[in-house]
């Protein structure tokens, strides 16, 4: 029996009986056990975070905004921000470490030499990140992009023949034609007084044009 139980019963103003003493002891012990487990979990998380930080130390990172925000919101969402970001990228052109908040690191791979082994790695070595892909799930469902494990392998095997290079090669000519039409449009606009333009609609139309030509063999001239 814990010595503190008598004191606790006295504090609660409850009469002391053997049963109550035992009950309170058991409750206190459970609470202690629960707190201990919580502490252990917290320590384990801290240890894992420490190991992650040590492994990430070899990657260069731009100066952080502060310890809480990390690199969040460091660059303005306009042209100035893009130019600032480019200045940083000019110095670090292999891989960059950025912190999203105080505990979430993000490695941005810039150089093809760094991207290639990751893209070629098996799903067991480079699993999909639940946090980032989780955001897309309600939107894209459990398709080829987001699924993993056996489901992904099965779907991938079914799709592979359709995307074989030999099958895709003839379509390259169509892709290039459609892109040339878009570039021609931009050149005409640039000769006029247009200094900046919203590319979204142009690229969407170019995609639609390519799809119509490749999938339906239909030329709708939708880009003109
Ligand atoms: C970007 O935004 C900042 C702050 O809102 C502003 O000072 C700056 O002039 C903007 N840059 C451009 C190119 O619009």
């Amino acid at each position: 029996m814990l010595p503190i139980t008598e004191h606790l019963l006295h504090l609660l103003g409850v009469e002391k009986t053997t049963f109550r003493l035992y009950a309170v002891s058991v409750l206190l012990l459970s609470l202690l056990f629960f707190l201990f487990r919580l502490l252990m979990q917290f320590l384990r998380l801290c240890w894992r975070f420490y190991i992650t930080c040590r492994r990430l130390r070899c990657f260069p990172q731009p100066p952080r905004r502060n310890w809480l925000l990390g690199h969040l919101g460091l660059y303005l969402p306009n042209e100035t921000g893009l130019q600032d970001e480019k200045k940083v990228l000019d110095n670090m052109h292999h891989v960059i470490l950025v912190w999203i908040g105080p505990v979430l690191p993000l490695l941005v791979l810039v150089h093809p030499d760094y991207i290639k082994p990751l893209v070629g790695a098996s799903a067991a070595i480079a699993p999909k990140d639940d946090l980032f892909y989780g955001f897309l799930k309600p939107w894209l469902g459990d398709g080829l992009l987001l699924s993993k494990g056996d489901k992904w392998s099965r779907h991938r095997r079914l799709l592979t023949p359709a995307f074989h290079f030999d099958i895709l090669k003839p379509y390259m000519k169509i892709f290039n034609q459609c892109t040339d039409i878009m570039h021609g449009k931009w050149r005409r606009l640039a000769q006029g007084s247009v200094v900046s333009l919203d590319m979204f609609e142009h690229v969407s139309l170019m995609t639609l044009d390519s799809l119509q030509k490749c999938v339906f063999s239909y030329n709708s001239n939708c880009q003109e």
Side-chain angles (χ1 to χ4, degrees):
M1 213 179 313
L2 298 176
I4 196 174
T5 43
E6 279 187 34
H7 187 62
L8 202 69
L9 283 178
H10 180 70
L11 267 183
L12 289 171
V14 186
E15 203 186 319
K16 228 181 343 178
T17 62
T18 320
F19 172 73
R20 280 184 187 152
L21 280 176
Y22 274 111
V24 170
S25 298
V26 169
L27 271 176
L28 279 178
L29 276 177
S30 319
L31 191 71
L32 218 64
F33 179 69
F34 178 71
L35 284 178
F36 179 72
R37 276 198 49 176
L38 222 61
L39 184 73
M40 286 311 285
Q41 265 173 9
F42 178 71
L43 285 179
R44 204 176 307 144
L45 275 179
C46 287
W47 175 248
R48 233 190 282 165
F49 181 64
Y50 169 73
I51 297 281
T52 309
C53 285
R54 242 186 28 187
R55 284 185 186 151
L56 290 175
R57 214 180 285 158
C58 57
F59 297 109
Q61 53 174 318
R64 283 195 221 191
R65 202 168 162 200
N66 55 43
W67 68 269
L68 183 65
L69 289 173
H71 296 94
L72 266 187
L74 197 59
Y75 303 112
L76 297 164
N78 62 13
E79 205 175 326
T80 315
L82 215 60
Q83 278 161 358
D84 289 346
E85 217 171 331
K86 192 181 168 300
K87 256 181 242 157
V88 172
L89 282 177
D90 282 344
N91 295 326
M92 309 174 182
H93 34 246
H94 290 113
V95 54
I96 303 168
L97 172 66
V98 288
W99 286 88
I100 301 174
V103 289
L104 192 63
L106 184 71
L107 269 182
V108 183
L109 306 182
V110 183
H111 198 276
D113 285 351
Y114 284 72
I115 299 171
K116 197 176 163 193
L118 194 77
V119 176
S122 76
I125 296 175
K128 293 180 176 175
D129 187 88
D130 284 333
L131 187 67
F132 285 101
Y133 282 90
F135 280 119
L136 297 172
K137 207 153 217 169
W139 181 39
L140 293 178
D142 205 14
L144 192 66
L145 183 65
L146 303 187
S147 62
K148 49 193 168 188
D150 287 342
K151 188 173 179 182
W152 178 84
S153 316
R154 202 171 54 243
H155 288 194
R156 179 64 212 268
R157 253 202 316 277
L158 285 171
L159 273 172
T160 303
F163 288 93
H164 193 275
F165 285 129
D166 287 341
I167 294 179
L168 288 181
K169 242 180 230 160
Y171 293 118
M172 277 314 290
K173 219 165 118 189
I174 299 179
F175 293 151
N176 287 340
Q177 265 172 11
C178 294
T179 317
D180 284 345
I181 295 175
M182 185 177 71
H183 287 161
K185 244 168 36 174
W186 285 356
R187 232 171 266 130
R188 282 200 298 281
L189 285 171
Q191 277 159 9
S193 56
V194 177
V195 280
S196 67
L197 85 149
D198 187 353
M199 297 161 55
F200 186 77
E201 202 189 325
H202 294 237
V203 176
S204 300
L205 278 175
M206 189 264 290
T207 314
L208 179 69
D209 198 17
S210 320
L211 275 177
Q212 283 179 336
K213 282 176 181 159
C214 292
V215 182
F216 304 113
S217 306
Y218 176 67
N219 186 2
S220 66
N221 290 322
C222 64
Q223 289 203 76
E224 297 298 345

